[in-house]
Structure formats: structure tokens, C-alpha cells
Coordinates of all heavy atoms in Angstrom, one line a residue:
M227 N 33.0 0.1 -25.8 CA 32.5 1.4 -25.5 C 31.1 1.6 -25.8 O 30.3 2.1 -25.0 CB 33.4 2.4 -26.2 CG 33.0 3.9 -26.0 SD 32.9 4.4 -24.3 CE 34.5 5.0 -24.0
T228 N 30.7 1.1 -27.0 CA 29.3 1.3 -27.4 C 28.3 0.6 -26.5 O 27.3 1.1 -26.1 CB 29.1 0.7 -28.9 OG1 30.0 1.4 -29.7 CG2 27.7 0.9 -29.3
E229 N 28.6 -0.6 -26.1 CA 27.8 -1.4 -25.2 C 27.6 -0.6 -23.8 O 26.5 -0.6 -23.3 CB 28.3 -2.8 -24.9 CG 28.2 -3.6 -26.2 CD 29.0 -4.9 -26.0 OE1 29.6 -5.2 -24.9 OE2 29.1 -5.7 -27.0
R230 N 28.7 0.0 -23.4 CA 28.6 0.7 -22.1 C 27.8 1.9 -22.3 O 26.9 2.3 -21.4 CB 30.0 1.1 -21.6 CG 30.0 1.6 -20.2 CD 31.4 1.9 -19.8 NE 31.7 3.3 -20.2 CZ 32.9 3.8 -20.3 NH1 33.9 3.1 -20.1 NH2 33.1 5.0 -20.8
L231 N 27.9 2.6 -23.4 CA 27.1 3.8 -23.6 C 25.6 3.4 -23.7 O 24.8 4.1 -23.1 CB 27.5 4.5 -24.9 CG 28.7 5.4 -24.9 CD1 29.0 5.9 -26.3 CD2 28.5 6.5 -23.9
V232 N 25.3 2.4 -24.4 CA 23.9 1.9 -24.5 C 23.3 1.6 -23.1 O 22.2 2.0 -22.8 CB 23.8 0.7 -25.4 CG1 22.4 0.1 -25.3 CG2 24.1 1.1 -26.9
A233 N 24.1 0.9 -22.3 CA 23.7 0.6 -20.9 C 23.4 1.9 -20.1 O 22.4 2.0 -19.4 CB 24.7 -0.3 -20.2
V234 N 24.3 2.9 -20.2 CA 24.2 4.1 -19.5 C 22.9 4.8 -19.9 O 22.1 5.3 -19.1 CB 25.4 5.0 -19.6 CG1 25.2 6.4 -19.0 CG2 26.6 4.4 -18.9
F235 N 22.8 4.9 -21.3 CA 21.6 5.7 -21.8 C 20.3 4.9 -21.5 O 19.3 5.6 -21.2 CB 21.7 5.9 -23.3 CG 22.8 6.8 -23.6 CD1 23.7 6.6 -24.7 CD2 23.0 8.0 -22.9 CE1 24.7 7.5 -25.0 CE2 24.0 8.9 -23.2 CZ 24.8 8.6 -24.3
A236 N 20.3 3.6 -21.5 CA 19.1 2.9 -21.1 C 18.7 3.1 -19.7 O 17.6 3.3 -19.3 CB 19.3 1.4 -21.3
A237 N 19.8 3.2 -18.8 CA 19.5 3.4 -17.4 C 19.0 4.9 -17.2 O 18.0 5.1 -16.4 CB 20.8 3.2 -16.6
L238 N 19.6 5.8 -17.9 CA 19.2 7.2 -17.7 C 17.9 7.6 -18.5 O 17.3 8.6 -18.3 CB 20.3 8.1 -18.1 CG 21.6 8.0 -17.3 CD1 22.7 9.0 -17.8 CD2 21.3 8.3 -15.8
G239 N 17.5 6.7 -19.4 CA 16.3 6.9 -20.1 C 15.0 6.8 -19.3 O 13.9 7.2 -19.8
D240 N 15.1 6.3 -18.1 CA 14.0 6.1 -17.2 C 13.8 7.4 -16.5 O 14.7 7.9 -15.8 CB 14.2 5.0 -16.3 CG 13.0 4.8 -15.3 OD1 13.1 5.4 -14.3 OD2 12.1 4.0 -15.7
D241 N 12.6 8.0 -16.5 CA 12.3 9.3 -15.8 C 12.7 9.2 -14.3 O 13.3 10.2 -13.8 CB 10.9 9.7 -15.9 CG 10.5 10.1 -17.3 OD1 11.4 10.4 -18.1 OD2 9.3 10.1 -17.7
T242 N 12.4 8.2 -13.6 CA 12.6 8.1 -12.2 C 14.1 8.1 -11.9 O 14.7 8.8 -11.1 CB 12.0 6.8 -11.6 OG1 10.6 6.9 -11.8 CG2 12.3 6.7 -10.1
R243 N 14.9 7.3 -12.7 CA 16.3 7.2 -12.5 C 17.0 8.5 -12.9 O 17.9 9.0 -12.2 CB 16.9 6.1 -13.4 CG 16.6 4.7 -12.8 CD 17.4 3.6 -13.4 NE 17.0 3.2 -14.7 CZ 16.0 2.3 -15.0 NH1 15.4 1.7 -14.0 NH2 15.8 2.0 -16.2
W244 N 16.4 9.2 -13.9 CA 17.0 10.6 -14.2 C 16.7 11.5 -13.0 O 17.6 12.3 -12.7 CB 16.3 11.1 -15.5 CG 16.9 12.4 -15.9 CD1 16.3 13.6 -15.8 CD2 18.2 12.6 -16.5 NE1 17.1 14.6 -16.3 CE2 18.3 14.0 -16.7 CE3 19.2 11.8 -16.9 CZ2 19.4 14.6 -17.3 CZ3 20.4 12.4 -17.4 CH2 20.4 13.7 -17.6
S245 N 15.5 11.5 -12.4 CA 15.2 12.3 -11.3 C 16.1 12.0 -10.1 O 16.6 12.9 -9.4 CB 13.8 12.1 -10.9 OG 12.9 12.6 -11.9
I246 N 16.4 10.7 -9.9 CA 17.3 10.3 -8.8 C 18.7 10.9 -9.1 O 19.3 11.4 -8.2 CB 17.4 8.8 -8.7 CG1 16.1 8.2 -8.1 CG2 18.6 8.3 -7.8 CD1 15.9 6.7 -8.2
L247 N 19.2 10.8 -10.3 CA 20.5 11.3 -10.6 C 20.6 12.8 -10.4 O 21.5 13.3 -9.9 CB 20.9 10.9 -12.1 CG 22.3 11.2 -12.5 CD1 23.2 10.2 -11.8 CD2 22.5 11.1 -14.0
L248 N 19.5 13.5 -10.8 CA 19.5 15.0 -10.6 C 19.5 15.3 -9.1 O 20.2 16.2 -8.7 CB 18.2 15.6 -11.3 CG 18.2 15.6 -12.8 CD1 16.9 16.1 -13.3 CD2 19.4 16.4 -13.4
A249 N 18.7 14.5 -8.3 CA 18.7 14.8 -6.9 C 20.1 14.5 -6.3 O 20.5 15.3 -5.4 CB 17.6 13.9 -6.2
L250 N 20.7 13.4 -6.7 CA 22.0 13.1 -6.2 C 23.1 14.2 -6.6 O 24.1 14.3 -6.0 CB 22.5 11.7 -6.6 CG 21.7 10.6 -5.9 CD1 22.1 9.2 -6.4 CD2 21.9 10.6 -4.4
G251 N 22.8 14.8 -7.7 CA 23.7 15.9 -8.2 C 23.7 17.0 -7.2 O 24.7 17.8 -7.2
E252 N 22.7 17.2 -6.4 CA 22.7 18.2 -5.4 C 23.4 17.8 -4.1 O 23.6 18.6 -3.2 CB 21.2 18.6 -5.1 CG 20.5 19.1 -6.3 CD 19.0 19.3 -6.0 OE1 18.6 19.2 -4.9 OE2 18.3 19.5 -7.0
G253 N 23.7 16.5 -4.0 CA 24.4 16.0 -2.8 C 24.0 14.6 -2.5 O 23.0 14.1 -2.9
D254 N 24.9 13.9 -1.7 CA 24.7 12.5 -1.4 C 23.4 12.4 -0.6 O 23.0 13.3 0.1 CB 25.8 12.0 -0.5 CG 27.1 12.0 -1.2 OD1 27.2 12.4 -2.4 OD2 28.1 11.6 -0.6
A255 N 22.7 11.2 -0.8 CA 21.5 11.0 -0.1 C 21.2 9.5 0.1 O 21.8 8.7 -0.7 CB 20.3 11.6 -0.8
S256 N 20.5 9.1 1.1 CA 20.0 7.7 1.3 C 18.8 7.5 0.4 O 18.2 8.4 -0.1 CB 19.7 7.5 2.7 OG 18.6 8.3 3.1
A257 N 18.5 6.2 0.3 CA 17.3 5.8 -0.5 C 16.0 6.4 0.2 O 15.1 6.9 -0.5 CB 17.2 4.3 -0.6
S258 N 16.0 6.4 1.5 CA 14.9 7.0 2.3 C 14.8 8.5 2.0 O 13.7 9.0 1.8 CB 15.1 6.7 3.8 OG 15.0 5.4 4.0
A259 N 15.9 9.2 2.0 CA 15.8 10.6 1.7 C 15.4 10.9 0.3 O 14.6 11.8 0.1 CB 17.2 11.3 2.0
L260 N 15.8 10.1 -0.6 CA 15.4 10.3 -2.0 C 13.9 10.0 -2.1 O 13.1 10.7 -2.8 CB 16.1 9.4 -2.9 CG 17.6 9.7 -3.1 CD1 18.4 8.6 -3.8 CD2 17.7 11.0 -3.9
A261 N 13.4 9.0 -1.4 CA 12.0 8.6 -1.4 C 11.1 9.7 -0.9 O 10.0 9.9 -1.3 CB 11.7 7.3 -0.7
E262 N 11.6 10.5 0.1 CA 10.9 11.6 0.6 C 10.8 12.8 -0.4 O 9.8 13.5 -0.4 CB 11.6 12.2 1.9 CG 11.5 11.3 3.1 CD 12.3 11.7 4.3 OE1 12.8 12.9 4.2 OE2 12.4 11.0 5.2
R263 N 11.8 12.9 -1.3 CA 11.8 14.0 -2.3 C 11.0 13.6 -3.6 O 10.6 14.5 -4.3 CB 13.2 14.3 -2.6 CG 14.0 14.9 -1.5 CD 15.4 15.2 -1.8 NE 15.5 16.1 -2.9 CZ 16.7 16.5 -3.5 NH1 17.8 15.9 -3.0 NH2 16.7 17.4 -4.4
L264 N 11.0 12.3 -3.9 CA 10.4 11.9 -5.1 C 9.1 11.1 -4.9 O 9.0 10.5 -3.8 CB 11.4 11.0 -5.9 CG 12.8 11.7 -6.2 CD1 13.8 10.7 -6.7 CD2 12.6 12.8 -7.2
P265 N 8.2 11.0 -5.9 CA 7.0 10.3 -5.7 C 7.1 8.8 -5.9 O 6.4 8.2 -6.7 CB 6.1 11.0 -6.7 CG 7.0 11.4 -7.8 CD 8.3 11.8 -7.1
V266 N 8.1 8.2 -5.2 CA 8.4 6.8 -5.4 C 8.7 6.2 -4.0 O 9.2 6.9 -3.2 CB 9.6 6.6 -6.4 CG1 9.9 5.2 -6.6 CG2 9.4 7.4 -7.7
T267 N 8.4 4.9 -3.9 CA 8.7 4.3 -2.6 C 10.2 4.1 -2.4 O 10.9 4.1 -3.4 CB 8.0 2.9 -2.5 OG1 8.6 2.0 -3.5 CG2 6.5 3.0 -2.7
R268 N 10.6 3.9 -1.2 CA 12.0 3.6 -0.9 C 12.4 2.3 -1.6 O 13.5 2.3 -2.1 CB 12.2 3.5 0.7 CG 13.7 3.5 1.0 CD 14.0 3.0 2.3 NE 13.7 1.6 2.4 CZ 14.5 0.6 1.9 NH1 15.6 0.9 1.2 NH2 14.2 -0.7 2.0
Q269 N 11.6 1.3 -1.6 CA 11.9 0.1 -2.3 C 12.2 0.3 -3.8 O 13.1 -0.3 -4.3 CB 10.8 -1.0 -2.0 CG 10.7 -1.5 -0.6 CD 9.9 -0.5 0.3 OE1 9.3 0.4 -0.2 NE2 9.9 -0.8 1.6
A270 N 11.3 1.1 -4.4 CA 11.5 1.4 -5.8 C 12.8 2.2 -6.0 O 13.5 1.9 -7.0 CB 10.3 2.1 -6.4
I271 N 13.0 3.1 -5.1 CA 14.3 3.9 -5.2 C 15.5 3.0 -5.2 O 16.4 3.1 -5.9 CB 14.4 5.0 -4.1 CG1 13.3 6.0 -4.3 CG2 15.8 5.6 -4.0 CD1 13.5 7.1 -5.3
A272 N 15.5 2.0 -4.2 CA 16.6 1.1 -4.1 C 16.8 0.3 -5.4 O 17.9 0.1 -5.8 CB 16.3 0.1 -2.9
K273 N 15.7 -0.1 -6.0 CA 15.9 -0.9 -7.3 C 16.5 0.0 -8.4 O 17.3 -0.4 -9.1 CB 14.5 -1.5 -7.7 CG 14.1 -2.6 -6.8 CD 12.7 -3.1 -7.3 CE 12.3 -4.2 -6.3 NZ 11.0 -4.8 -6.7
H274 N 16.0 1.2 -8.4 CA 16.6 2.2 -9.4 C 18.0 2.5 -9.2 O 18.8 2.6 -10.1 CB 15.7 3.4 -9.5 CG 14.4 3.3 -10.1 ND1 14.2 3.0 -11.5 CD2 13.1 3.4 -9.6 CE1 13.0 2.9 -11.8 NE2 12.3 3.2 -10.7
L275 N 18.4 2.6 -7.9 CA 19.8 2.9 -7.5 C 20.6 1.7 -7.9 O 21.8 1.9 -8.4 CB 19.9 3.2 -6.0 CG 19.4 4.5 -5.6 CD1 19.3 4.6 -4.1 CD2 20.4 5.6 -6.1
A276 N 20.1 0.5 -7.8 CA 20.9 -0.7 -8.2 C 21.2 -0.7 -9.7 O 22.3 -1.0 -10.1 CB 20.1 -2.0 -7.8
V277 N 20.2 -0.2 -10.5 CA 20.4 -0.1 -11.9 C 21.5 0.9 -12.2 O 22.4 0.7 -13.0 CB 19.1 0.2 -12.7 CG1 19.4 0.5 -14.1 CG2 18.1 -1.0 -12.5
L278 N 21.4 2.1 -11.6 CA 22.4 3.1 -11.8 C 23.8 2.7 -11.3 O 24.8 3.1 -12.0 CB 21.9 4.4 -11.0 CG 20.7 5.1 -11.6 CD1 20.2 6.2 -10.7 CD2 20.9 5.6 -13.0
E279 N 23.8 1.9 -10.2 CA 25.1 1.4 -9.8 C 25.7 0.4 -10.7 O 26.9 0.4 -11.0 CB 24.9 0.8 -8.4 CG 26.3 0.3 -7.8 CD 26.1 -0.2 -6.4 OE1 25.1 -0.9 -6.2 OE2 27.0 0.0 -5.6
Q280 N 24.8 -0.4 -11.3 CA 25.3 -1.4 -12.2 C 26.0 -0.8 -13.5 O 26.9 -1.3 -14.0 CB 24.1 -2.3 -12.7 CG 24.5 -3.5 -13.5 CD 23.3 -4.4 -13.8 OE1 22.2 -4.0 -13.6 NE2 23.6 -5.5 -14.3
V281 N 25.5 0.3 -13.9 CA 26.1 1.0 -15.1 C 27.2 2.0 -14.7 O 27.8 2.6 -15.5 CB 25.0 1.7 -16.0 CG1 24.0 0.7 -16.6 CG2 24.3 2.8 -15.3
G282 N 27.4 2.1 -13.4 CA 28.6 2.9 -12.9 C 28.4 4.3 -12.8 O 29.4 5.1 -12.8
V283 N 27.2 4.8 -12.7 CA 27.0 6.3 -12.5 C 26.8 6.7 -11.1 O 26.8 7.9 -10.8 CB 25.9 6.8 -13.5 CG1 26.3 6.6 -14.9 CG2 24.6 6.2 -13.2
V284 N 26.5 5.8 -10.2 CA 26.4 6.1 -8.8 C 27.1 5.1 -8.0 O 27.4 4.0 -8.5 CB 24.9 6.2 -8.3 CG1 24.1 7.2 -9.0 CG2 24.2 4.8 -8.3
E285 N 27.5 5.4 -6.7 CA 28.1 4.5 -5.8 C 27.5 4.7 -4.4 O 27.0 5.8 -4.1 CB 29.6 4.6 -5.8 CG 30.1 5.9 -5.2 CD 31.6 5.9 -5.2 OE1 32.3 4.9 -5.5 OE2 32.1 7.0 -4.9
S286 N 27.6 3.7 -3.6 CA 27.1 3.8 -2.2 C 28.3 3.8 -1.2 O 29.3 3.3 -1.5 CB 26.1 2.7 -1.9 OG 26.8 1.5 -1.9
H287 N 28.1 4.4 -0.1 CA 29.1 4.4 1.0 C 28.3 4.5 2.3 O 27.2 5.1 2.4 CB 30.1 5.5 0.8 CG 29.5 6.8 0.7 ND1 29.0 7.3 -0.5 CD2 29.3 7.8 1.6 CE1 28.6 8.6 -0.3 NE2 28.7 8.9 1.0
R288 N 28.8 3.9 3.3 CA 28.2 3.9 4.7 C 28.6 5.1 5.4 O 29.8 5.5 5.4 CB 28.6 2.7 5.5 CG 28.0 1.4 5.0 CD 27.4 0.6 6.2 NE 26.6 -0.5 5.7 CZ 25.3 -0.5 5.6 NH1 24.6 0.6 6.0 NH2 24.7 -1.5 5.1
V289 N 27.6 5.7 6.0 CA 27.8 6.8 7.0 C 27.0 6.4 8.2 O 25.8 6.5 8.3 CB 27.2 8.1 6.4 CG1 27.4 9.2 7.5 CG2 27.9 8.5 5.1
G290 N 27.8 5.8 9.2 CA 27.1 5.2 10.4 C 26.3 4.0 9.9 O 26.9 3.1 9.3
R291 N 25.1 4.0 10.3 CA 24.2 2.9 9.9 C 23.5 3.1 8.5 O 22.8 2.3 8.0 CB 23.2 2.7 11.0 CG 23.7 2.2 12.3 CD 22.7 1.9 13.3 NE 21.4 2.1 12.9 CZ 20.3 2.0 13.7 NH1 20.5 1.9 15.0 NH2 19.1 2.2 13.3
E292 N 23.7 4.3 8.0 CA 23.0 4.7 6.8 C 23.8 4.4 5.5 O 25.0 4.7 5.5 CB 22.7 6.2 6.9 CG 21.8 6.7 5.8 CD 21.4 8.1 6.0 OE1 22.3 9.0 6.1 OE2 20.2 8.4 6.1
L293 N 23.2 3.9 4.5 CA 23.8 3.8 3.2 C 23.5 5.0 2.3 O 22.3 5.2 2.0 CB 23.3 2.5 2.5 CG 24.0 2.0 1.3 CD1 25.5 1.7 1.6 CD2 23.4 0.8 0.7
R294 N 24.5 5.8 2.0 CA 24.3 7.0 1.2 C 24.8 6.8 -0.2 O 25.8 6.0 -0.4 CB 25.0 8.2 1.9 CG 24.4 8.4 3.3 CD 24.9 9.6 4.0 NE 24.8 10.9 3.2 CZ 23.7 11.7 3.3 NH1 22.7 11.3 4.0 NH2 23.7 12.8 2.6
W295 N 24.2 7.4 -1.1 CA 24.5 7.3 -2.5 C 25.1 8.6 -3.1 O 24.7 9.7 -2.7 CB 23.3 6.9 -3.3 CG 22.8 5.6 -2.9 CD1 22.0 5.2 -1.9 CD2 23.1 4.3 -3.6 NE1 21.8 3.9 -1.8 CE2 22.5 3.3 -2.9 CE3 23.9 4.0 -4.7 CZ2 22.6 2.0 -3.2 CZ3 24.0 2.7 -5.0 CH2 23.4 1.7 -4.3
S296 N 26.0 8.5 -4.0 CA 26.6 9.7 -4.7 C 26.8 9.4 -6.2 O 26.9 8.3 -6.6 CB 27.9 10.1 -4.0 OG 28.8 9.0 -4.1
V297 N 26.8 10.5 -6.9 CA 27.0 10.4 -8.4 C 28.5 10.2 -8.6 O 29.4 10.8 -8.0 CB 26.5 11.7 -9.1 CG1 26.9 11.7 -10.5 CG2 25.0 11.8 -8.8
L298 N 28.8 9.4 -9.6 CA 30.2 9.2 -10.1 C 30.4 10.1 -11.3 O 30.1 9.7 -12.4 CB 30.5 7.7 -10.4 CG 30.6 6.8 -9.2 CD1 30.7 5.4 -9.7 CD2 31.8 7.2 -8.4
G299 N 30.9 11.3 -11.0 CA 31.1 12.3 -12.1 C 32.0 11.8 -13.2 O 31.9 12.1 -14.3
S300 N 33.0 10.9 -12.8 CA 34.0 10.5 -13.8 C 33.3 9.7 -14.9 O 33.6 9.8 -16.1 CB 35.1 9.7 -13.2 OG 34.6 8.5 -12.6
R301 N 32.3 8.8 -14.5 CA 31.6 8.0 -15.6 C 30.8 8.9 -16.4 O 30.7 8.7 -17.6 CB 30.8 6.9 -14.9 CG 29.9 6.1 -15.8 CD 30.6 5.5 -17.0 NE 31.5 4.4 -16.6 CZ 31.2 3.2 -16.5 NH1 30.1 2.7 -16.9 NH2 32.2 2.3 -16.1
L302 N 30.1 9.9 -15.8 CA 29.3 10.8 -16.6 C 30.2 11.6 -17.5 O 29.8 11.9 -18.6 CB 28.4 11.7 -15.7 CG 27.4 10.9 -14.9 CD1 26.7 11.9 -13.9 CD2 26.4 10.3 -15.8
G303 N 31.4 12.0 -17.0 CA 32.3 12.7 -17.9 C 32.8 11.9 -19.0 O 32.9 12.4 -20.2
D304 N 33.1 10.6 -18.8 CA 33.4 9.7 -19.9 C 32.3 9.6 -20.9 O 32.6 9.7 -22.1 CB 33.7 8.3 -19.4 CG 35.0 8.2 -18.5 OD1 35.8 9.2 -18.5 OD2 35.1 7.2 -17.8
T305 N 31.1 9.5 -20.5 CA 30.0 9.5 -21.4 C 29.8 10.7 -22.2 O 29.6 10.7 -23.4 CB 28.7 9.2 -20.6 OG1 28.8 8.0 -19.8 CG2 27.5 9.1 -21.5
A306 N 30.0 11.9 -21.5 CA 29.9 13.2 -22.3 C 31.0 13.3 -23.3 O 30.8 13.8 -24.4 CB 30.0 14.3 -21.3
R307 N 32.2 12.9 -22.9 CA 33.3 12.9 -23.9 C 33.1 12.0 -25.1 O 33.4 12.4 -26.2 CB 34.7 12.6 -23.2 CG 35.2 13.7 -22.4 CD 36.6 13.4 -21.9 NE 36.6 12.4 -20.8 CZ 36.2 12.6 -19.6 NH1 35.8 13.8 -19.2 NH2 36.2 11.7 -18.7
E308 N 32.5 10.9 -24.9 CA 32.2 10.0 -26.0 C 31.1 10.6 -26.9 O 31.2 10.5 -28.1 CB 31.8 8.6 -25.5 CG 31.5 7.6 -26.5 CD 32.8 7.2 -27.4 OE1 33.9 7.6 -27.0 OE2 32.6 6.6 -28.4
L309 N 30.1 11.2 -26.3 CA 29.1 11.9 -27.1 C 29.7 13.0 -27.9 O 29.4 13.3 -29.1 CB 28.0 12.4 -26.2 CG 27.0 11.4 -25.7 CD1 26.0 12.1 -24.7 CD2 26.3 10.8 -26.8
D310 N 30.7 13.8 -27.3 CA 31.4 14.8 -28.0 C 32.1 14.3 -29.2 O 32.1 14.8 -30.3 CB 32.3 15.6 -27.1 CG 31.6 16.5 -26.2 OD1 30.5 16.9 -26.4 OD2 32.3 16.9 -25.2
R311 N 32.8 13.1 -29.0 CA 33.5 12.5 -30.1 C 32.6 12.1 -31.2 O 32.9 12.3 -32.4 CB 34.3 11.3 -29.5 CG 35.2 10.6 -30.6 CD 35.7 9.3 -30.2 NE 34.6 8.3 -30.1 CZ 34.0 7.7 -31.2 NH1 34.4 8.1 -32.4 NH2 33.1 6.8 -31.0
I312 N 31.5 11.5 -30.9 CA 30.5 11.1 -31.9 C 30.0 12.3 -32.6 O 29.8 12.3 -33.9 CB 29.3 10.3 -31.2 CG1 29.9 8.9 -30.7 CG2 28.2 10.1 -32.2 CD1 28.9 8.2 -29.8
G313 N 29.7 13.4 -31.9 CA 29.2 14.6 -32.5 C 30.2 15.2 -33.5 O 29.9 15.7 -34.6
A314 N 31.5 15.2 -33.1 CA 32.6 15.7 -33.9 C 32.7 14.9 -35.2 O 32.9 15.4 -36.3 CB 33.9 15.7 -33.2
E315 N 32.5 13.6 -35.1 CA 32.6 12.7 -36.3 C 31.4 13.0 -37.2 O 31.6 13.1 -38.4 CB 32.5 11.2 -35.9 CG 32.6 10.2 -37.0 CD 33.9 10.3 -37.8 OE1 34.9 10.8 -37.3 OE2 33.8 10.0 -39.0
W316 N 30.2 13.2 -36.7 CA 29.1 13.6 -37.5 C 29.3 15.0 -38.2 O 29.0 15.1 -39.3 CB 27.8 13.6 -36.7 CG 27.2 12.2 -36.7 CD1 27.2 11.3 -35.6 CD2 26.5 11.6 -37.8 NE1 26.6 10.2 -36.0 CE2 26.1 10.3 -37.3 CE3 26.2 12.0 -39.1 CZ2 25.4 9.4 -38.1 CZ3 25.5 11.1 -39.9 CH2 25.1 9.8 -39.4
D317 N 29.9 15.9 -37.4 CA 30.2 17.2 -38.0 C 31.1 17.1 -39.2 O 31.0 17.7 -40.2 CB 30.8 18.1 -37.0 CG 29.7 18.6 -35.9 OD1 28.5 18.5 -36.2 OD2 30.1 19.1 -34.9
R318 N 32.1 16.2 -39.0 CA 33.1 16.0 -40.1 C 32.4 15.4 -41.3 O 32.7 15.8 -42.4 CB 34.2 15.1 -39.6 CG 35.4 14.9 -40.6 CD 36.3 13.8 -40.2 NE 35.7 12.5 -40.1 CZ 35.4 11.7 -41.2 NH1 35.6 12.2 -42.4 NH2 34.9 10.5 -41.1
R319 N 31.6 14.4 -41.1 CA 30.9 13.8 -42.2 C 30.0 14.7 -42.9 O 29.9 14.8 -44.1 CB 30.1 12.6 -41.7 CG 31.0 11.4 -41.3 CD 30.1 10.3 -40.8 NE 31.0 9.2 -40.3 CZ 30.5 8.0 -39.8 NH1 29.2 7.8 -39.8 NH2 31.4 7.1 -39.4
L320 N 29.2 15.5 -42.1 CA 28.3 16.5 -42.8 C 29.0 17.6 -43.5 O 28.6 18.0 -44.6 CB 27.4 17.1 -41.7 CG 26.4 16.2 -41.1 CD1 25.7 16.8 -39.9 CD2 25.4 15.7 -42.1
A321 N 30.2 18.0 -43.0 CA 31.0 19.0 -43.8 C 31.5 18.4 -45.1 O 31.5 19.1 -46.1 CB 32.2 19.4 -42.9
A322 N 31.8 17.1 -45.1 CA 32.3 16.4 -46.3 C 31.1 16.4 -47.3 O 31.3 16.6 -48.5 CB 32.8 15.0 -46.0
I323 N 29.9 16.0 -46.9 CA 28.8 16.0 -47.7 C 28.5 17.4 -48.3 O 28.2 17.5 -49.5 CB 27.5 15.4 -47.0 CG1 27.7 13.9 -46.6 CG2 26.3 15.7 -47.7 CD1 26.7 13.4 -45.7
K324 N 28.6 18.4 -47.5 CA 28.4 19.8 -47.9 C 29.4 20.2 -49.0 O 29.0 20.8 -50.0 CB 28.5 20.7 -46.7 CG 28.3 22.2 -47.1 CD 28.4 23.1 -45.9 CE 28.2 24.5 -46.3 NZ 28.5 25.5 -45.2
R325 N 30.6 19.8 -48.8 CA 31.6 20.1 -49.8 C 31.3 19.4 -51.2 O 31.4 20.0 -52.2 CB 33.0 19.7 -49.4 CG 33.7 20.6 -48.4 CD 35.1 20.3 -48.1 NE 35.4 19.0 -47.7 CZ 35.3 18.5 -46.4 NH1 35.0 19.3 -45.5 NH2 35.6 17.2 -46.2
I326 N 30.9 18.2 -51.1 CA 30.5 17.4 -52.3 C 29.3 18.1 -53.0 O 29.3 18.3 -54.2 CB 30.3 16.0 -52.0 CG1 31.6 15.3 -51.5 CG2 29.6 15.2 -53.2 CD1 31.4 13.9 -50.9
A327 N 28.3 18.4 -52.2 CA 27.1 19.0 -52.7 C 27.3 20.3 -53.4 O 26.8 20.7 -54.4 CB 26.0 19.1 -51.7
E328 N 28.2 21.2 -52.7 CA 28.5 22.5 -53.3 C 29.4 22.4 -54.5 O 29.4 23.3 -55.3 CB 29.2 23.3 -52.2 CG 28.2 23.8 -51.1 CD 28.9 24.5 -49.9 OE1 30.1 24.4 -49.8 OE2 28.1 25.1 -49.1
G329 N 30.1 21.3 -54.7 CA 30.9 21.1 -55.8 C 30.2 20.6 -57.1 O 30.8 20.6 -58.2
L330 N 29.0 20.2 -56.9 CA 28.2 19.7 -58.1 C 27.7 20.9 -59.0 O 27.4 21.9 -58.7 CB 27.0 18.9 -57.6 CG 27.3 17.6 -56.8 CD1 26.1 16.9 -56.4 CD2 28.1 16.7 -57.7

């Protein structure tokens, strides 16, 4: 699980990939359509999409002759749930430290 989270965060840590993900959150789009919206070439968009696909946050599908991309909400949901779990564990640990400190 940790390795997958690291890969997802590494992919999303890039400003361009984050912008692509936000754009795809508004609806499916081709690399060409994304390149029209973002200050990046279509070739660069395609490379960034490949990285996002590799970590499982986007997928492609054919619509006629066009390859369109969409966000995989389930993977992002899994990532969010794992972050919530980590946050809850930290909250538990901090509460334990507080109880110890207040008992001194």
C-alpha cells in the first residue's frame, strides 16, 4: 500500500499532471483538447497522461478515432481513504501523548 501511495503522490506532485487531473475532473478529454487548455504541448500531455495511467488515476478509451482520457475516481477514493486512516492514526498517537503530558 505504501509503495502505491508514494507512486500516486509522486505523479500528482507535478504541477502539470495535477492540472491535467483537475481538467479531467471536469470531463473526459483527448490529449489534444488538454493541450489547448494547458500551456503544454500535446506530446508533453501524452507523456504526463502515461505517468498518470501507470499509477492508475486515469484511463483511456476510444471514441471513434479519438483517444479520450478520464479520471479513475475509485483509485483517488482509495488514496483518500488511506490518507484518512493515516490521519486517524496520528490523531490517536497525539491524543496518547497529550494524556501522558497532562498526567505529569
